[in-house]
Amino acid sequence: MKKVILLLMVSVLAGCATHAEIKMPVVVKIHDTAYENKSLNYEILYSQPKPGIFTGGEQLPLAPLEEAELSVASASTLKELPKLIFEQLPISVRYLVDNPDLTLKIELTAYNKLGPAYADYEFAKSLGKDLLTLGFASSEYDIIADFDARYILQQKGEVIFSKNFKVRDQVDHERGDFESYNTLNDFTSQILEKHLILTLHAFFKDAAVNVKG
């Protein structure tokens, strides 16, 4: 009976991989007349510690996103950032390179070599489960978002509003033995997109009263 119970415990622990639940509140476009029929350009700057196993991890200076060193997990979401910007605004807002009504400057600063969002392997927890299940248990991770965002809105060359956000979020995640490591990137992308949307939305909502007609 003891052997049967042990085998059942091993089966349960090995077969149950609880994925991270990234809860996203409902966010709708900002319908404010201040933005209606305006043109918008953007500049995105990014900084993180220098990636690589043998580097000292010194913080890199802010650089244009297209020139910055990005982690695989964060690259796909950050490349979608321009789309996320316009998704927060009225549909009449259009992108314009030269002489736009508004210019949004974004400064993103990550504090981990893996980027603003990453999967952190929990070695001690995973080892303990493996010892109990003879190596069949799922691996334990934390899906973490850890970055600062500074948004600056200009109108005709003049700064009319700016705001800083500190993003710190963490969700438990388990990866099954037969799951690809790429699934970790899916969850890190989700948590990063969540906080980019929430901070952008909050910023544009607060900035509206400063936009001149």
Side-chain angles (χ1 to χ4, degrees):
M1 179 61 77
K2 288 182 179 180
K3 290 182 179 179
V4 171
I5 292 173
L6 178 60
L7 286 172
L8 287 172
M9 289 176 62
V10 169
S11 298
V12 169
L13 287 171
C16 297
T18 304
H19 289 168
E21 185 178 358
I22 312 297
K23 296 180 179 179
M24 178 68 189
V26 176
V27 176
V28 297
K29 280 181 178 291
I30 296 171
H31 296 289
D32 195 304
T33 55
Y35 296 118
E36 291 289 353
N37 299 307
K38 292 288 195 301
S39 56
L40 175 72
N41 196 359
Y42 55 83
E43 179 185 10
I44 304 171
L45 302 177
Y46 178 74
S47 168
Q48 71 167 55
K50 188 172 181 61
I53 299 173
F54 302 107
T55 65
E58 63 273 17
Q59 190 75 28
L60 297 172
L62 285 165
L65 186 60
E66 59 273 14
E67 300 172 10
E69 297 186 56
L70 302 174
S71 65
V72 174
S74 302
S76 60
T77 300
L78 289 177
K79 287 176 182 176
E80 292 293 312
L81 186 47
K83 184 183 77 170
L84 300 180
I85 293 170
F86 285 92
E87 283 181 351
Q88 310 315 310
L89 296 167
I91 197 168
S92 64
V93 176
R94 68 190 188 282
Y95 172 65
L96 184 64
V97 175
D98 297 320
N99 299 315
D101 297 312
L102 301 168
T103 301
L104 175 66
K105 184 177 182 181
I106 298 176
E107 298 177 352
L108 295 176
T109 303
Y111 296 102
N112 190 284
K113 291 181 181 182
L114 298 177
Y118 56 94
D120 184 40
Y121 179 60
E122 296 187 276
F123 175 78
K125 282 186 180 181
S126 298
L127 178 61
K129 287 173 66 177
D130 279 343
L131 291 175
L132 286 173
T133 62
L134 307 178
F136 291 104
S138 56
S139 299
E140 293 280 342
Y141 289 84
D142 283 326
I143 305 298
I144 298 172
D146 181 16
F147 65 95
D148 290 348
R150 176 173 171 78
Y151 300 138
I152 304 163
L153 190 64
Q154 297 178 326
Q155 187 169 19
K156 299 301 182 182
E158 177 188 352
V159 174
I160 59 171
F161 188 72
S162 66
K163 191 168 184 178
N164 297 334
F165 295 88
K166 289 187 176 294
V167 174
R168 307 289 183 269
D169 194 6
Q170 181 173 311
V171 182
D172 288 330
H173 177 73
E174 295 178 0
R175 185 187 67 82
D177 287 341
F178 299 104
E179 292 181 59
S180 167
Y181 279 96
N182 289 333
T183 60
L184 295 174
N185 293 340
D186 294 338
F187 289 100
T188 55
S189 292
Q190 286 179 34
I191 199 170
L192 177 57
E193 181 174 310
K194 167 188 172 179
H195 288 288
L196 289 173
I197 290 172
L198 292 178
T199 54
L200 280 167
H201 188 83
F203 174 79
F204 281 124
K205 190 173 181 180
D206 291 345
V209 297
N210 298 279
V211 178
K212 303 174 181 68

